[in-house]
Amino acid sequence: MFLNLVQLPRLLSTPLPQMSVRYLNANRCVVTKVKRARFARLHPTMAVLPDGSTITIKYSEPKHLIKFPIKLEEASDEEKKRIQLLRRPKQKLVVTEDTGSGFDPRKYIKY
């Protein structure tokens, strides 16, 4: 069966049906995170050592950065002070309620 040369341009100009493939699974629309006990591979992660140097390690969870704790017994005096300042509770922000009594709308009139 040979195609007729008259029919060939007409066959080439007709659009082919488009097929979209959707791979739906339980992780397609995750709201928070993928809840797995173990991940399938080890992920490259930056680790910060107590002296400030960084190394790249393979970690079981996909994390960006891991900081190792500083031993207070081996830390210098200035490092101990810095750590104690970081561990202090932060000052609470005092919020005052604005009643709007000081608002003057005539201040914003141009003409």
Side-chain angles (χ1 to χ4, degrees):
M1 291 182 28
F2 293 104
L3 290 175
N4 199 356
L5 289 177
V6 176
Q7 293 175 347
L8 185 64
R10 186 180 53 139
L11 289 175
L12 292 176
S13 66
T14 57
L16 296 174
Q18 297 291 326
M19 298 181 70
S20 63
V21 179
R22 296 176 63 193
Y23 299 104
L24 299 177
N25 59 18
N27 299 329
R28 183 71 179 165
C29 294
V30 176
V31 175
T32 56
K33 67 175 186 172
V34 178
K35 297 173 181 74
R36 290 187 185 131
R38 290 185 54 98
F39 286 88
R41 63 183 276 256
L42 296 177
H43 302 274
T45 304
M46 185 75 65
V48 180
L49 299 176
D51 62 351
S53 61
T54 58
I55 57 172
T56 303
I57 61 171
K58 292 184 179 179
Y59 195 65
S60 60
E61 296 179 14
K63 291 191 178 226
H64 182 69
L65 187 70
I66 298 174
K67 282 179 67 175
F68 290 106
I70 298 174
K71 296 179 183 175
L72 285 177
E73 301 86 30
E74 300 174 3
S76 66
D77 289 335
E78 61 187 39
E79 287 178 350
K80 287 180 184 178
K81 287 180 184 178
R82 184 179 60 84
I83 292 169
Q84 288 174 353
L85 286 174
L86 290 174
R87 290 183 179 177
R88 280 188 185 164
K90 307 292 186 268
Q91 293 180 352
K92 293 192 177 187
L93 180 66
V94 179
V95 178
T96 58
E97 188 67 31
D98 185 19
T99 58
S101 61
F103 177 71
D104 185 19
R106 288 180 281 160
K107 178 179 167 184
Y108 297 99
I109 296 176
K110 289 186 177 181
Y111 304 108

